[in-house]
Amino acid sequence: MQNPEYTKYGLHGKLTAQQGKGDELAAILLQASELLKTAKGCHLYVISKDHQNADTVWIYEVWDSKEDHDNSLQLTGVRELIGKAIPILAGQPEKGVEFTVLGGTGLN
């Protein structure tokens, strides 16, 4: 059952780097996570490496709203980091999975 007082916007994405560039991609995304610590509406921005493929990086995000997420792309430094990540990706980024976050441990 959905808690209407808590409902948040969630996004789970997968990025695959060119062979051998997974650590570099993860480092760029971890830099982004530092910038997002103060972003309006950001509750969670977690970067993870895939155990099955060292060049695959997962991003798990929880925001107050999709609008807050979209606005975060305009923060100083974020576009520059995107510009560093794009050339090392293995193809186009996959569209992330959007979902409604209902609650859970570690979310405020």
Side-chain angles (χ1 to χ4, degrees):
M1 177 179 224
Q2 183 172 332
N3 178 352
E5 295 175 13
Y6 184 80
T7 303
K8 306 288 182 206
Y9 171 77
L11 183 64
H12 194 203
K14 173 184 170 184
L15 295 174
T16 303
Q18 296 170 12
Q19 188 172 1
K21 302 259 184 188
D23 287 340
E24 183 179 349
L25 178 59
I28 292 167
L29 293 169
L30 287 168
Q31 288 177 359
S33 74
E34 289 298 314
L35 295 176
L36 295 176
K37 282 183 177 179
T38 60
K40 178 184 178 294
C42 183
H43 291 268
L44 193 65
Y45 187 88
V46 176
I47 307 305
S48 304
K49 290 279 298 274
D50 193 312
H51 284 195
Q52 302 300 313
N53 181 342
D55 294 318
T56 298
V57 181
W58 293 89
I59 304 102
Y60 184 76
E61 306 176 52
V62 176
W63 297 83
D64 281 337
S65 67
K66 183 174 184 335
E67 179 181 34
D68 285 341
H69 168 268
D70 293 347
N71 289 339
S72 75
L73 299 175
Q74 304 306 318
L75 290 174
T76 302
V78 171
R79 286 281 175 204
E80 291 82 1
L81 291 172
I82 291 170
K84 289 169 91 174
I86 294 294
I88 64 171
L89 293 179
Q92 293 293 316
E94 295 182 31
K95 182 174 177 359
V97 176
E98 296 177 297
F99 50 90
T100 301
V101 178
L102 304 177
T105 303
L107 300 172
N108 46 346

